[in-house]
Amino acid sequence: MRKTKAVTMTVALFTVLLLFAGCSNSDEKANGSSGKKTIEFMHLWPKGSSKTHYEIVNNIVKDYEKKHPDVKVDVQVLSNEQYKDKLKVLSTSNKLPDVGMTWAAGFMEPYVSGNKFAPLDDVINKNLKDQFVPGTAEAFAIDGKTYGMPLELNIATVFYNKAIFDKYGLKAPKTFDEFQHVVKTLKDNGVAPIALGNKDRWTGSLWYMYLADRIGGGDTMTNAINRSGSFEDPALVSAAKKVQDLVDMGAFEKGFNGLSDDEAKSMFMNGQAGMYLIGTWDLPNYTTNEDVPKEFRDSIDYFNFPTVDGKGDMNSFVGGPGVGLFVAQNSDVKEEAKDFAAFFVKEWGEKSVTDAGVIPATKIDAGSLDLPDMYVNVLNDLSKASNITLFADVQMSPDVAQVHLDMIQALFGKQVTPEKFAKEQEQALAKEK
């Protein structure tokens, strides 16, 4: 909710000079030194950690520039956490890129209320009407206007190394007891059961959210956040206790609270851990990414999060739309930026399936495409989903999400009790409403 505004004769002259300079810079950006208009585009898929995504983005940008020779797209790439930090800084100084990536719901509320993001209903109705999977574009709408065009649809699943499981006679667990047996067996044999990079904290939130879903049902967490329920609901406290039970078992690798998600992923992909809970945006690493050894890709499968103490529905998922594209409200090239964003969404929908094996937010004809078995299995799971609970830190406002993420790390680090964990978040939510 940030607003900025900007007078003696000296000040007025200074202001005129600034305005003149500003107009000059604006014209330069809009027309460019080569006569081209420049669209600044910032995304969060670096070549190192998201190679296929990175290459698809570059190909889409090249295709757009080829079709629009009067436009240049200036691309900036940052890692996930760097991206979030820079978006805040650029927003504060009113220098958002013309097109960028945002998450839905609570994450984008400050940007919308601060008039930083432009409504995109006009370009959606013109170019993308009825092309989004129901519920995905709606997640980017506030007060009847849509401020983001979704690119992805994800669910989180537990990927596991079948070769390691086979070596120790283990099967994909369907109950929490079976899951604990897997954890104990792997640990007893010197294998880190679960790769977790909880320095990023949203990674630990996935484990907590699934335990809450299984113990309390699919709507317990959402109700606590929308204030029709409480974060001190016994099921949410019980889920926190289960997290600390897993910590006590040694379920996560040593030092997990100080490792990033990329470091944890690296452990899993090097065969140093048996399981890894992550969103299906990681599917390419286990299916189509030829930079990953085929032997490893063939050894990976996934299972839906097990039931807990006889409770829960394994067809209930944590997930939802991933990132979407926004257009800056103060863009000097807003119409070109909207046109590029719409072009990107269309191109992404097809290329992300065929080139990367990720699930787009736009509708696809899966039957007409040659897709990896794991990809088809995920699509089938999505078709049978009884519930998809949106990621907690995306549902929450940025301030409450900060409390949630800090509490997640404290919970996994056993620096708070489950009761304190729940109380802190209940107080943060109650204070906001």
Side-chain angles (χ1 to χ4, degrees), residues 94-106:
N94 221 23
K95 293 181 179 176
L96 285 175
D98 301 302
V99 180
M101 290 182 170
T102 180
W103 289 263

Side-chain angles (χ1 to χ4, degrees), residues 78 103 109 219 244:
L78 297 166
W103 289 263
E109 280 184 355
D219 55 2
Q244 294 193 333

Side-chain angles (χ1 to χ4, degrees), residues 364-378:
I364 58 170
D365 180 8
S368 66
L369 302 171
D370 184 17
L371 300 171
D373 289 344
M374 191 184 294
Y375 188 99
V376 173
N377 291 339
V378 170

